[in-house]
Amino acid sequence: MRVRIVGAGYVGLCTAASLAYLGHEVTCVDVDPEKIAGLVRGELPIYEPHLAELLAVAPIPVRFAVPDDANAASAGPPELVFIAVGTPPGADGSPDLKQVAAAVRTITQSLGDGLTVVVNKSTVPVGSGNWVGSLIDDAQPPGARTATVVVASNPEFLREGSALMDSLYPDRIVVGSDDARAIEALVRLYQPLIEQDFAPPPFLPRPARTGRVPLVTTDLASAELIKYASNAFLALKISFINQIAELSERVGADIESVSRALGLDARIGSAFLQAGLGWGGSCFGKDTAALVATAHEYGLSMSIVEAAREVNYHQRARIVERLLAELKIMKGRTIGLLGLAFKPQTDDLRDAPSVDIARRLLARGAKVRVHDPVALPRARRELADVAFELCDTVDSVFRGADAVVLVTEWPEYAQLDWARCAKAMRTPLLLDGRNALPRDALTAAGLRYFAVGR
Ligand code: UDX
């Protein structure tokens, strides 16, 4: 099918690569001409494992264009247009929909005569589908109307770092519309994913137990709410285990055992029960705030989600308090942070706990040194206002440090030469903010080791 994707960010590029791999004709447009020029040269604006490889092996290459050239670049007007633009948080917590409105303007300038299905893939508040529909109607006055446009919501559940595995082998596909033609088109588009009858790319092998992918077809509002409810529930799970971890520290229990036993109850499940510094990233913070804001609009309180947010951001303050309890004085201390990205396998710094922790330490007069295997170039561009020292080597983080905190659990950090690290530090204190390091090896090497909830 002919597909246009508006927005060449995470969701847009991963969706474009996956749909092209399945044999659809995909044109991806973005208003940023520099980004498009880079993509045409084969340069990706984000770090995502295997994205470049998937784009390279797609049987129909993805075409990249600025909106004005979109129709000329593609083989004809699209049957489906995906809106995959950013919806950053506005001042009151509700998402800023300026980019969505701009995307809709772009779409209405290049409609064909037949049916066009406009699909919201950006995370937009409940009710936005109807709003997009009304913007499209406004842009085509009744007398001049030749195109038939129907709106659908098709939320994405991609995790950064494994976005392509999540695209090709999803747990479920959710398609919502109040128009049967939109649902029919999307089901046709996703048929190879639903049936799992495509040959997997060698570098993204199909997980062993992947069967037919469950499809949920529903109305527009339900699809929109499914996305928020899913993210909020995952966020709740993380905050729940982090609050139990705090109690665990007080009563002398071990959160890793508690979490493992909890997760073995099939009704609870083991995923998203890893205690630590809590969530960051572009989704959980923004989507939980948006859900709370939507509930308020309807006179409801989403108190359980508000509590999860409070617990999450408390983790960042708590780690600084623990450092203070150990070091007593923060002024003049040197603190090393391992990891900048909000999680491993990405260079995304949005709402990253590392940045929050660094700012708190700097405000208390400490020097802060940070390492990350992939996010340093992005940090140099985006975080020039933060007075931390970005270190190209792990050694420079440990050299002369009074304490080192593991903030992002990149696998390479679990395999350091601990005796060497201990020797390089002024005081050999290590706080494992993700419970990811080999405790016995660290203590054997002479480090004082602290973790979360243990
Ligand atoms: C999330 C959702 O998982 C995805 O479905 C949605 O489409 C976008 O938001 P993402 O933000 O990329 O994806 O990462 P995810 O793997 O969900 O992790 C989010 C944060 O939670 C990370 O900071 C991670 O470190 C943290 N986390 C995750 C925990 O602290 N504990 C856990 O047990 C799991």
Side-chain angles (χ1 to χ4, degrees):
M1 295 175 85
R2 266 194 317 279
V3 180
R4 178 155 313 155
I5 293 174
V6 185
Y10 257 105
V11 173
L13 287 173
C14 293
T15 307
S18 319
L19 291 177
Y21 182 77
L22 297 176
H24 295 298
E25 288 175 36
V26 181
T27 310
C28 184
V29 303
D30 197 284
V31 288
D32 181 348
E34 267 179 47
K35 198 192 259 186
I36 290 297
L39 283 163
V40 170
R41 289 195 299 271
E43 294 160 16
L44 293 177
I46 51 165
Y47 174 88
E48 179 63 35
H50 305 301
L51 181 54
E53 285 157 280
L54 193 64
L55 284 166
V57 300
I60 306 184
V62 176
R63 301 178 179 98
F64 294 104
V66 289
D68 291 347
D69 295 336
N71 273 4
S74 77
E79 295 155 82
L80 292 124
V81 183
F82 283 85
I83 301 179
V85 295
T87 51
D92 62 347
S94 56
D96 178 346
L97 298 178
K98 273 199 219 74
Q99 293 183 47
V100 177
V104 172
R105 277 197 296 280
T106 304
I107 292 165
T108 52
Q109 282 157 16
S110 54
L111 291 171
D113 292 340
L115 179 76
T116 310
V117 183
V118 172
V119 190
N120 254 333
K121 211 148 177 81
S122 299
T123 305
V124 288
V126 181
S128 298
N130 292 6
W131 171 70
V132 164
S134 73
L135 290 183
I136 293 169
D137 286 345
D138 292 350
Q140 305 183 87
R145 192 168 296 174
T146 52
T148 310
V149 183
V150 289
V151 179
S153 164
N154 168 220
E156 51 79 20
F157 302 102
L158 313 181
R159 285 164 300 175
E160 292 185 15
S162 56
L164 296 174
M165 287 298 280
D166 293 344
S167 299
L168 294 175
Y169 313 112
D171 288 342
R172 78 297 209 189
I173 293 175
V174 176
V175 165
S177 180
D178 299 335
D179 191 300
R181 292 168 296 178
I183 305 252
E184 186 275 326
L186 278 161
V187 170
R188 204 145 48 87
L189 180 84
Y190 285 131
Q191 207 55 40
L193 282 190
I194 295 166
E195 298 301 337
Q196 286 291 309
D197 57 3
F198 63 90
F203 44 88
L204 294 166
R206 181 174 284 127
R209 283 188 300 278
T210 314
R212 202 169 180 275
V213 173
L215 170 73
V216 179
T217 56
T218 181
D219 58 279
L220 203 47
S222 301
E224 289 170 342
L225 189 54
I226 286 166
K227 168 72 192 203
Y228 281 105
S230 301
N231 273 357
F233 190 77
L234 293 170
L236 289 182
K237 265 188 114 176
I238 299 171
S239 281
F240 176 81
I241 204 66
N242 280 336
Q243 200 159 54
I244 297 288
E246 195 166 352
L247 181 61
S248 183
E249 275 166 33
R250 300 290 171 90
V251 302
D254 182 340
I255 194 64
E256 293 301 309
S257 306
V258 175
S259 169
R260 178 157 185 275
L262 266 176
L264 286 170
D265 185 325
R267 293 167 303 175
I268 297 174
S270 59
F272 281 70
L273 282 183
Q274 178 60 54
L277 283 167
W279 79 68
S282 67
C283 286
F284 286 172
K286 185 184 69 149
D287 294 354
T288 50
L291 189 58
V292 168
T294 302
H296 284 173
E297 269 178 43
Y298 288 86
L300 297 174
S301 145
M302 208 42 86
S303 51
I304 194 165
V305 181
E306 289 183 56
R309 288 175 55 78
E310 203 181 301
V311 169
N312 188 60
Y313 294 107
H314 170 62
Q315 303 313 308
R316 303 171 184 191
R318 204 161 86 78
I319 200 101
V320 175
E321 281 159 23
R322 284 186 85 183
L323 276 173
L324 203 56
E326 290 304 317
L327 297 173
K328 312 296 179 206
I329 288 171
M330 199 55 84
K331 282 192 182 56
R333 301 284 193 185
T334 299
I335 311 295
L337 303 182
L338 292 176
L340 248 180
F342 82 95
K343 68 175 206 178
Q345 308 304 336
T346 177
D347 64 348
D348 199 334
L349 300 167
R350 284 175 287 180
D351 198 15
S354 59
V355 182
D356 216 349
I357 293 166
R359 285 191 204 274
R360 286 169 193 270
L361 293 170
L362 290 163
R364 286 181 173 275
K367 282 190 203 142
V368 180
R369 296 202 197 124
V370 195
H371 175 267
D372 191 281
V374 305
L376 293 179
R378 195 152 175 178
R380 288 196 176 97
R381 288 197 305 275
E382 294 178 7
L383 298 174
D385 65 311
V386 188
F388 48 30
E389 188 188 333
L390 299 174
C391 301
D392 291 317
T393 64
V394 173
D395 279 353
S396 4
V397 169
F398 280 91
R399 199 173 306 128
D402 294 289
V404 168
V405 184
L406 176 86
V407 184
T408 315
E409 69 280 28
W410 285 96
E412 45 266 65
Y413 294 149
Q415 289 157 10
L416 300 177
D417 178 344
W418 299 113
R420 188 182 144 116
C421 293
K423 225 166 130 204
M425 296 177 77
R426 185 151 55 192
T427 36
L429 176 64
L430 202 139
L431 263 79
D432 181 354
R434 297 288 178 183
N435 292 1
L437 300 178
R439 175 170 56 180
D440 294 345
L442 268 81
T443 42
L447 284 153
R448 283 175 60 221
Y449 174 82
F450 293 87
V452 178
R454 323 181 71 175

